[in-house]
């Protein structure tokens, strides 16, 4: 929650500086914005490589049947939630978000003091392919040294995220909003934020209602009782903004739903890293809004968005269980598939972080449904004992 407050403070400070600071100060802010944006671009492939490689290499533990059902159900939930989000966002947002990014004709054009190009080691699709090849290879061969490299590389990248990228994001957002304020578009942009965030939160509630309603009907369980059991995990995730930090509470909540202990112990920690339905809803909703708000970007059809959502479901495996991890992992495909420029990526970061806690809470609450279905499908002899 401190991150959200810092983000809001960064927006306010950026607007003030963009409106009242001397042009020399604004040029300095643009210089930092450019350098930090380049560093983010450099880190994106590394995030994808080490997190996805480590995640896939770690999927060998436990029963193969249970693992297969857990991964399959988590991916299906992520994809369907993303499709729901795009369907709703493309239907409603064009009425409210139209030309938010149109700058006045007399807008001030500022330039940074200097520019520095930091090229990534490889592009996003190369990073995804590399992560899958080595992740699956490590899992199949048990390569100890490569596993250690993947784990240590993940630790280094996570430290850069937690100690450099995420702490400096409010300053980066301040620079972005200073630029928009100087150009005369900041307030029009802010007017759309509330609409987008309310839509995303509403879609979270709708998706959880569908998950528990349909699952309760098909499994012969009371959906309200199931949801009530997961409320402690939901509110804990709302406060921590971290699926990983919520695992202890999520384990107790799943046990309160009377899911078999072996399933709870296996599914809930695994889903904390691979089932991000709430984050996907937020990313797709925010991406739709940013495309409507940004000159040069047009709202695509399903022929573009469906491959994007399928790739997003894969890259969500790379999302670390820390605030902001989902959007940082998704920046690569936002740029490569949807063509987001740096300014659009910055808006995505601001929109996503403003409601990250709600997306995380939806992720964790949805994990309970995965556990229910894995118990029914992977342990077919045991579901009868869970009714009551």
């Amino acid at each position: 929650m401190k991150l959200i407050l810092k983000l809001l403070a960064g927006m306010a400070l950026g607007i003030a500086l963009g409106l009242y600071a001397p042009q020399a100060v604004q040029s300095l802010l643009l210089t930092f914005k450019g350098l930090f944006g380049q560093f983010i671009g450099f880190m994106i492939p590394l995030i994808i490589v080490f997190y996805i490689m480590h995640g896939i290499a770690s999927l060998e533990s436990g029963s193969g049947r249970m693992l297969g059902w857990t991964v399959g159900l988590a991916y299906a939930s992520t994809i369907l939630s993303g499709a729901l989000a795009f369907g709703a966002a493309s239907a409603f947002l064009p009425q409210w978000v139209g030309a938010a990014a149109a700058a006045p004709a007399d807008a001030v054009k500022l330039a940074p003091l200097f520019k520095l190009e930091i090229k990534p080691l490889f592009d996003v699709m190369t990073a995804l392919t590399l992560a899958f090849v080595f992740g699956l290879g490590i899992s199949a061969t048990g390569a100890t040294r490569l596993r250690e490299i993947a784990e240590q590389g993940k630790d280094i990248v996570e430290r850069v995220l937690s100690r450099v990228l995420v702490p400096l994001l409010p300053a980066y957002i301040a620079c972005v909003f200073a630029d928009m304020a100087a150009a005369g578009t900041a307030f029009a942009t802010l007017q759309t934020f509330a609409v987008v965030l309310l839509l995303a939160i509403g879609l979270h509630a709708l998706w959880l209602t569908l998950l528990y309603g349909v699952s309760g009907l098909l499994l012969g369980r009371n959906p309200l009782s199931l949801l009530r059991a997961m409320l402690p995990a939901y509110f804990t995730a709302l406060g921590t903004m971290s699926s990983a930090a919520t695992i202890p509470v999520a384990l107790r909540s799943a046990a309160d739903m009377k899911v078999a202990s072996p399933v709870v112990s296996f599914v809930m920690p695994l889903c904390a890293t691979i089932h991000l339905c709430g984050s996907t809803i937020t990313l797709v909703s925010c991406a739709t809004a940013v495309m409507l708000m940004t000159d040069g970007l047009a709202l695509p059809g399903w022929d573009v968005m469906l491959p994007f959502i399928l790739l997003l479901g894969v890259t969500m495996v790379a999302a670390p269980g820390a605030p902001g991890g989902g959007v940082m992992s998704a920046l690569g495909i936002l740029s490569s598939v949807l063509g987001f420029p740096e300014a659009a990526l910055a808006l995505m970061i601001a929109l996503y972080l403003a409601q990250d806690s709600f997306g995380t809470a939806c992720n964790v609450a949805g994990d309970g449904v995965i556990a229910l279905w894995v118990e029914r499908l992977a342990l077919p002899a045991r579901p009868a004992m869970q009714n009551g």
Side-chain angles (χ1 to χ4, degrees):
M1 305 308 291
K2 290 182 180 179
L3 180 61
I4 294 179
L5 295 177
K6 291 178 180 178
L7 178 71
L8 295 175
M11 291 180 184
L13 178 61
I15 292 174
L17 291 173
L19 292 175
Y20 305 113
Q23 290 192 7
V25 174
Q26 295 180 15
S27 295
L28 183 62
L29 295 177
L30 285 180
T31 304
F32 173 80
K33 170 177 169 286
L35 292 174
F36 193 76
Q38 289 284 321
F39 184 62
I40 290 176
F42 175 80
M43 289 300 300
I44 286 170
L46 299 179
I47 293 171
I48 291 174
V49 165
F50 285 109
Y51 272 98
I52 291 185
M53 187 193 307
H54 180 268
I56 294 175
S58 301
L59 292 182
E60 61 181 8
S61 59
S63 164
R65 180 181 176 87
M66 194 180 298
L67 173 62
W69 279 115
T70 303
V71 174
L73 289 169
Y75 186 72
S77 173
T78 301
I79 298 309
L80 291 174
S81 64
L84 170 69
F86 180 66
S90 60
F92 294 107
L93 288 182
Q95 306 172 40
W96 301 316
V97 182
D106 59 348
V108 178
K109 296 292 184 181
L110 298 174
L113 299 177
F114 62 90
K115 294 182 180 180
L116 182 63
E117 186 176 5
I118 307 173
K119 293 184 178 181
L121 295 177
F122 28 70
D123 60 30
V124 172
M125 295 310 299
T126 301
L128 277 172
T129 305
L130 186 65
F132 266 86
V133 168
F134 277 90
L136 292 172
I138 293 170
S139 180
T141 64
T144 304
R145 291 187 179 180
L146 283 178
R147 186 189 303 277
E148 290 176 355
I149 291 174
E151 184 171 355
Q152 291 170 3
K154 170 182 172 293
D155 291 341
I156 292 172
V157 171
E158 186 169 12
R159 180 163 295 197
V160 173
L161 277 174
S162 62
R163 299 192 179 185
V164 180
L165 286 181
V166 173
L168 287 178
L169 281 178
Y172 178 58
I173 297 302
C175 295
V176 171
F177 272 83
D179 189 18
M180 289 192 295
T185 63
F187 293 105
T189 300
L190 284 176
Q191 289 174 2
T192 69
F193 268 38
V195 173
V196 177
L197 298 183
L198 287 175
L199 175 64
I201 293 170
L203 289 173
H204 294 157
L206 175 60
W207 184 244
L208 289 177
T209 300
L210 290 172
L211 281 181
Y212 280 93
V214 173
S215 298
L217 179 65
L218 295 177
L219 296 175
R221 304 289 300 273
N222 185 337
L224 294 179
S225 297
L226 296 174
L227 271 172
R228 187 164 54 246
M230 288 301 297
L231 284 180
Y234 180 91
F235 286 110
T236 302
L238 199 64
T240 63
M241 295 172 61
S242 170
S243 298
T246 312
I247 287 176
V249 181
L251 290 170
R252 290 198 299 269
S253 294
D256 289 342
M257 291 195 300
K258 297 183 174 63
V259 178
S261 179
V263 175
V264 171
S265 300
F266 180 82
V267 171
M268 300 307 286
L270 179 58
C271 280
T273 59
I274 67 171
H275 182 223
L276 285 90
C277 56
S279 298
T280 301
I281 287 173
T282 302
L283 285 166
V284 173
S285 301
C286 293
T288 304
V290 170
M291 285 186 285
L292 292 169
M293 295 164 62
T294 305
D295 288 334
L297 293 178
L299 187 63
W302 283 101
D303 58 326
V304 174
M305 285 303 296
L306 186 56
F308 168 76
I309 293 169
L310 293 174
L311 278 175
L312 187 61
V314 174
T315 57
M316 285 296 95
V317 177
V327 69
M328 299 306 295
S329 300
L331 292 179
I333 61 169
L334 286 167
S335 176
S336 62
V337 178
L338 299 183
F340 276 33
E342 181 187 332
L345 294 177
L347 282 177
M348 278 295 302
I349 294 172
L351 274 169
Y352 182 90
L353 290 179
Q355 69 75 61
D356 191 17
S357 56
F358 291 96
T360 302
C362 181
N363 296 338
V364 172
D367 293 347
V369 172
I370 304 298
L372 287 168
W373 279 105
V374 169
E375 181 187 45
R376 170 60 62 91
L377 297 169
L379 301 178
R382 302 188 58 166
M385 63 180 291
Q386 303 304 327
N387 294 329

